[in-house]
Amino acid sequence: MRRILIVGGGYAGFYTAWRLEKKLRRDEAEVTLVDPRPYMTYQPFLPEVAAGSVEARHVAVSLRGHLRRTTVIAGSVTEIDHAHKTATIRPLDGPDRPFEYDVVVVTAGAVTRTFPIPGVAEGAIGLKHVEEAVAIRDRLLTAFERASGLPPGPERTRLLTVTVVGGGFTGVEGFAELLSLATALLKRYPELTASELAFHLVEAQGRILPEVTDDVGRWVVRHLEQRGAHIHLNTQLVSAEDGHVVLSTGEEYDTELLIWTAGNGANPVVAKQTDLPIDDKGRLLVRADLRVGTEDAPIPDAWGAGDNAAVPDLASPVPGALTVPNAQHAVRQGKRLAANLVADLRGRRVKQYAHHSLGVVATLGLGRGVFQYRRLVVKGFPAWVMHRGYHVLAVPTWERKVRVLLVWLSAVVFGRDIVSLQSVQQPRAAFTAGGTPRPATGAPQWPTAVTPLRRPSPAALAGQPTGPDRVNGSANPSPTNG
């Protein structure tokens, strides 16, 4: 049987494998998918995860739970040698090993793009993975808890200050959802006031939300500013060392939470560790039928889709335009790639990928949103309903759709869940806080023998001096628990 290797389990990779399972006969091909995470993250829900409107586990679709006929390898592909049809796989544990394939599907996605700005690598959090969204939510809730116990002053102001760098869809949605959460939290913290909240959105360009028209983008800015937000356009982050933000305009302030959403970069495996053709931005060169290569020189048995691929946009009136790297395209490209791959295996004609946009929709916090399709613009509550309706239909599997809907319905009755679980990021803190001494240096030193506790002697019961009790082989002159 043909061996198909799928590199990456994001939107495009997951949907490619999912469709291949439905279309391939059991004796036709073996499918192997490699990804370091055991799940596919539905990223459009991450802003709502950060705001506590969606349960974190409900945006993570288990690869092994839904890909029943696909071999899933927990690891990363570090090199692709298509000339010899061999990939190097680095599992989570163990040495690298070669993997021979007949067909490769590169859907490795993109990585968060950062710049050498002081303090960003040490203190910023991205918003590309579910772990990051959960950490953002817990840190904001914990900041409110800490601020409520402090008198008004610089430290309290710092705890209630949030900075988001990047004015694309992820940045604006995350910013607006966190602002909505923070405003709602004020009802639970009478010690704090709305004037103490400081939410800053920093964007290097002169506008936000590049996928919408200028008028809609300006309306979103005015809408956020009316809710108390500070929008910094044509502004760059200069430094963020120790939480002290310095902007290119000269403005300075301290922030507790710094979120980086300033775009995506090329996946280094695609850009540097493959002999497949790439463009000047490190993306895989892909034809309209999702084969790797150019129209005149296709690469046999190599396919690509998603954020790591430069896919021609046949629906765009602009010659040479490429599809926007978003979920709407990645999902549909994965489905088309699977259909084309099966057709190619069976000697049939493949079809080109062409998708006319259904419009763009963004959440701006609970009960607020914006939608645009060509000249049609919907704002406010109707757009928010459209946002939730579209994404609950788009999230894969009925099981996940039902779970998300149930959380939303429960929130209507009981409101947001405002419990912070930041302590789960240090699960051993409570365990080690019980008084167990830790070695100053080196590896943990476990006792080689345990001395059992014995019944006290008559002399001890009579109050006469005795030697120190010995517990676990060490002198302990004070009483022990129990």
Side-chain angles (χ1 to χ4, degrees), residues 206-414:
R207 53 162 299 175
I208 61 174
L209 298 177
E211 291 85 355
V212 302
T213 59
D214 291 345
D215 291 340
V216 175
R218 285 192 290 265
W219 177 85
V220 174
V221 170
R222 293 194 302 270
H223 171 79
L224 293 173
E225 289 178 337
Q226 290 171 359
R227 292 163 57 184
H230 306 276
I231 310 299
H232 306 270
L233 300 180
N234 293 314
T235 305
Q236 296 180 348
L237 179 66
V238 176
S239 174
E241 289 186 290
D242 299 324
H244 183 71
V245 172
V246 180
L247 303 179
S248 59
T249 57
E251 184 175 354
E252 299 184 25
Y253 60 89
D254 293 328
T255 188
E256 167 67 9
L257 193 55
L258 177 63
I259 304 170
W260 182 272
T261 64
N264 296 323
N267 190 300
V269 174
V270 177
K272 302 177 182 179
Q273 303 298 325
T274 177
D275 56 353
L276 296 171
I278 59 174
D279 66 3
D280 57 349
K281 294 183 178 180
R283 297 171 300 185
L284 201 64
L285 278 178
V286 174
R287 301 169 11 138
D289 59 5
L290 303 179
R291 296 177 189 266
V292 175
T294 63
E295 292 300 322
D296 299 329
I299 305 298
D301 300 322
W303 306 77
D307 293 355
N308 68 184
V311 182
D313 189 357
L314 300 184
S316 173
V318 180
L322 303 176
T323 58
V324 178
N326 59 22
Q328 191 176 138
H329 281 295
V331 169
R332 288 167 175 80
Q333 288 172 9
K335 295 177 180 179
R336 170 47 51 198
L337 194 157
N340 281 354
L341 202 160
V342 172
D344 185 64
L345 290 177
R346 297 173 181 174
R348 301 174 184 172
R349 292 186 60 183
V350 299
K351 298 181 180 179
Q352 295 182 327
Y353 171 77
H355 171 65
H356 295 272
S357 175
L358 302 176
V360 291
V361 61
T363 174
L364 299 177
L366 194 61
R368 305 176 178 93
V370 62
F371 167 81
Q372 182 175 19
Y373 176 70
R374 297 182 180 177
R375 296 184 179 181
L376 174 64
V377 178
V378 181
K379 304 172 183 176
F381 183 77
W384 177 76
V385 173
M386 295 170 68
H387 174 273
R388 286 204 162 184
Y390 170 79
H391 284 298
V392 79
L393 291 175
V395 66
T397 80
W398 279 101
E399 172 252 347
R400 281 295 183 262
K401 300 179 196 295
V402 172
R403 289 182 184 273
V404 171
L405 279 173
L406 289 177
V407 171
W408 283 343
L409 291 175
S410 65
V412 173
V413 179
F414 303 108

Side-chain angles (χ1 to χ4, degrees), residues 15-272:
Y15 275 94
T16 298
W18 207 20
R19 282 300 179 95
L20 285 176
E21 289 192 349
K22 298 177 181 179
K23 293 179 176 293
L24 288 172
R25 298 187 299 270
R26 289 186 177 272
D27 61 346
E28 198 168 8
E30 295 177 349
V31 181
T32 300
L33 185 146
V34 182
D35 195 277
R37 286 180 168 81
Y39 52 82
M40 184 275 283
T41 303
Y42 189 72
Q43 293 179 349
F45 274 153
L46 291 183
E48 293 197 61
V49 171
S53 299
V54 175
E55 171 61 34
R57 293 181 183 272
H58 297 169
V59 306
V61 181
S62 171
L63 297 178
R64 296 181 185 273
H66 296 89
L67 301 179
R68 309 294 175 83
R69 294 169 49 194
T70 300
T71 300
V72 178
I73 298 178
S76 304
V77 173
T78 60
E79 185 179 0
I80 301 174
D81 181 4
H82 192 64
H84 299 90
K85 292 191 174 181
T86 302
T88 302
I89 296 178
R90 178 170 297 166
L92 297 183
D93 292 295
D96 294 3
R97 68 175 189 261
F99 183 93
E100 296 181 355
Y101 61 81
D102 296 301
V103 179
V104 65
V105 176
V106 184
T107 54
V111 297
T112 301
R113 181 183 60 185
T114 58
F115 301 96
I117 300 174
V120 170
E122 296 80 10
I125 303 178
L127 191 53
K128 191 175 181 63
H129 302 290
V130 66
E131 301 92 338
E132 296 170 325
V134 172
I136 289 171
R137 175 177 179 269
D138 287 341
R139 285 188 59 176
L140 180 63
L141 294 175
T142 301
F144 265 76
E145 202 67 39
R146 294 171 58 192
S148 65
L150 294 175
E155 180 62 16
R156 191 156 107 170
T157 300
R158 181 188 66 81
L159 288 170
L160 299 177
T161 301
V162 175
T163 302
V164 176
V165 181
F169 258 81
T170 300
V172 171
E173 287 188 320
F175 180 83
E177 284 286 348
L178 289 174
L179 178 60
S180 177
L181 171 61
T183 305
L185 285 174
L186 292 174
K187 300 177 182 178
R188 306 290 183 181
Y189 294 88
E191 308 92 339
L192 308 178
T193 62
S195 61
E196 294 179 287
L197 294 180
F199 274 69
H200 298 264
L201 178 64
V202 181
E203 169 54 44
Q205 303 299 320
R207 53 162 299 175
I208 61 174
L209 298 177
E211 291 85 355
V212 302
T213 59
D214 291 345
D215 291 340
V216 175
R218 285 192 290 265
W219 177 85
V220 174
V221 170
R222 293 194 302 270
H223 171 79
L224 293 173
E225 289 178 337
Q226 290 171 359
R227 292 163 57 184
H230 306 276
I231 310 299
H232 306 270
L233 300 180
N234 293 314
T235 305
Q236 296 180 348
L237 179 66
V238 176
S239 174
E241 289 186 290
D242 299 324
H244 183 71
V245 172
V246 180
L247 303 179
S248 59
T249 57
E251 184 175 354
E252 299 184 25
Y253 60 89
D254 293 328
T255 188
E256 167 67 9
L257 193 55
L258 177 63
I259 304 170
W260 182 272
T261 64
N264 296 323
N267 190 300
V269 174
V270 177
K272 302 177 182 179

